[in-house]
Amino acid sequence: MSGEAKRSDPGFACAGAGEGMPAHVAIIMDGNGRWAAQRGLPRFEGHRRGVEAIRRAVRTAGDLGVRYLTVYSFSAENWRRPAQEVSDLMGLLKRFVRHDLAELHANNIRVRIIGEREGLASDIRLLLDEAEQLTRANTGLTLIIAFNYGGRQEIVGAMRILARKVKEGALDPEEIDMETVEAALDTHGIPDPDLVIRTSGEQRVSNFLTWQTAYSEFVFLPCYWPDFDEEAFKAAIDEYCRRDRRFGGLSARMG
Ligand code: IPE
Ligand code: IPE
Ligand code: MG
């Protein structure tokens, strides 16, 4: 099989960085609560250990030559959780940015935030702005944090932007095409994810990158997010490298 032909390193199906590797990996980091419950620990402990797993994932993505890494940190629907848990998750985001921003910047990582800023506390908004501003000229890995993010909400937002332009006479409805829509999304300028990984065994999208994942490959891993390590990341990429992406056409491997 051509999957075998591409193999240059046993256990890793991609030929090497830049050759069949995913440029953009997006992760639905799920299972913190179950990880904690399994150990008789409070859910917060799972979330805290989840932040460690994010740090590992950023390091591994950089090492593997991934260009864009998106992490789903808080969904637009996560407000439905108990107030204490929501507050814990907000606190962890703040701590992550305060504690890790200097190091991310030193590592040439560009930070982008997607999701609704309105509705977030002003101190969080300021931190998110600071992270983007400080790292905007960095040229290494782009780390995209999806926070208070919902794919449908993002599409609604894009429709509002385009509708306003039409109303102002700045846009002809007949000119609206996929590029116009993409430019109005939070992810403008970021290529679509090649690979979406979801941990915890759940096999659903949960309102993540609805527009952008039209042709993404999905890999579902049974491990809980705090246990996601370099080995799991490589296993997911390996699985991706064995997939045959067709985009509606015929297999490139068939010639
Ligand atoms: C993922 O873990 C973190 C967030 C959604 C913020 P969960 O908190 O969803 O953990 P489970 O799914 O309950 O185990
Ligand atoms: C998806 O996980 C959101 C994040 C990982 C931030 P959830 O745990 O919120 O998803 P559901 O509720 O199981 O679909
Ligand atoms: Mg969950």
Side-chain angles (χ1 to χ4, degrees):
M1 289 297 290
S2 45
E4 290 300 313
K6 277 174 82 181
R7 177 185 294 273
S8 63
D9 166 20
F12 211 62
C14 289
E19 258 284 311
M21 288 285 289
H24 183 175
V25 178
I27 308 183
I28 303 173
M29 311 182 292
D30 197 17
N32 292 350
R34 279 164 283 172
W35 182 92
Q38 222 176 31
R39 288 161 178 77
L41 298 169
R43 290 179 62 85
F44 175 76
E45 196 51 29
H47 294 314
R48 201 181 64 76
R49 292 291 292 265
V51 176
E52 299 290 325
I54 297 176
R55 294 189 176 110
R56 276 199 302 272
V58 170
R59 258 197 311 275
T60 305
D63 290 349
L64 294 176
V66 169
R67 301 295 305 155
Y68 299 86
L69 176 70
T70 301
V71 290
Y72 200 7
S73 301
F74 191 88
S75 78
E77 286 76 32
N78 284 148
W79 296 101
R80 294 176 186 159
R81 297 189 179 197
Q84 182 58 54
E85 179 161 349
V86 169
S87 154
D88 286 346
L89 290 166
M90 297 291 153
L92 282 171
L93 175 78
K94 280 195 270 188
R95 268 170 51 189
F96 175 72
V97 176
R98 285 202 186 111
H99 185 271
D100 287 45
L101 183 57
E103 192 181 332
L104 293 169
H105 185 44
N107 288 327
N108 197 25
I109 292 170
R110 181 174 181 188
V111 179
R112 290 235 344 225
I113 316 292
I114 58 172
E116 195 59 66
R117 301 289 171 99
E118 272 153 49
L120 295 178
S122 55
D123 58 341
I124 293 188
R125 286 164 69 160
L126 282 171
L127 274 173
L128 297 181
D129 287 347
E130 185 193 340
E132 286 190 319
Q133 287 304 322
L134 178 71
T135 63
R136 63 181 307 145
N138 288 347
T139 54
L141 174 76
T142 298
L143 172 65
I144 300 133
I145 302 175
F147 198 83
N148 194 20
Y149 176 85
R152 288 182 167 179
Q153 288 82 347
E154 181 190 35
I155 292 170
V156 169
M159 286 182 177
R160 288 208 180 116
I161 291 171
L162 300 186
R164 262 185 241 119
K165 284 191 180 165
V166 169
K167 191 178 171 194
E168 289 160 7
L171 178 67
D172 176 353
E174 301 310 317
E175 280 173 12
I176 296 175
D177 57 13
M178 287 195 262
E179 281 73 34
T180 323
V181 175
E182 274 162 12
L185 295 171
D186 293 358
T187 51
H188 56 87
I190 299 169
D192 289 342
D194 300 292
L195 167 62
V196 177
I197 300 171
R198 183 171 188 148
T199 56
S200 91
E202 305 300 345
Q203 302 195 1
R204 55 178 169 263
V205 176
S206 301
N207 204 10
F208 188 46
L209 299 174
T210 307
W211 171 280
Q212 298 86 343
T213 53
Y215 270 103
S216 302
E217 296 293 330
F218 284 77
V219 171
F220 298 101
L221 299 178
C223 70
Y224 295 141
W225 175 249
D227 288 329
F228 184 84
D229 57 10
E230 185 175 342
E231 198 185 331
F233 202 153
K234 284 183 170 167
I237 289 189
D238 195 55
E239 165 70 25
Y240 167 86
C241 290
R242 293 165 199 277
R243 301 273 177 92
D244 184 13
R245 301 185 78 187
R246 299 184 185 178
F247 300 99
L250 297 180
S251 173
R253 293 177 184 182
M254 309 288 279

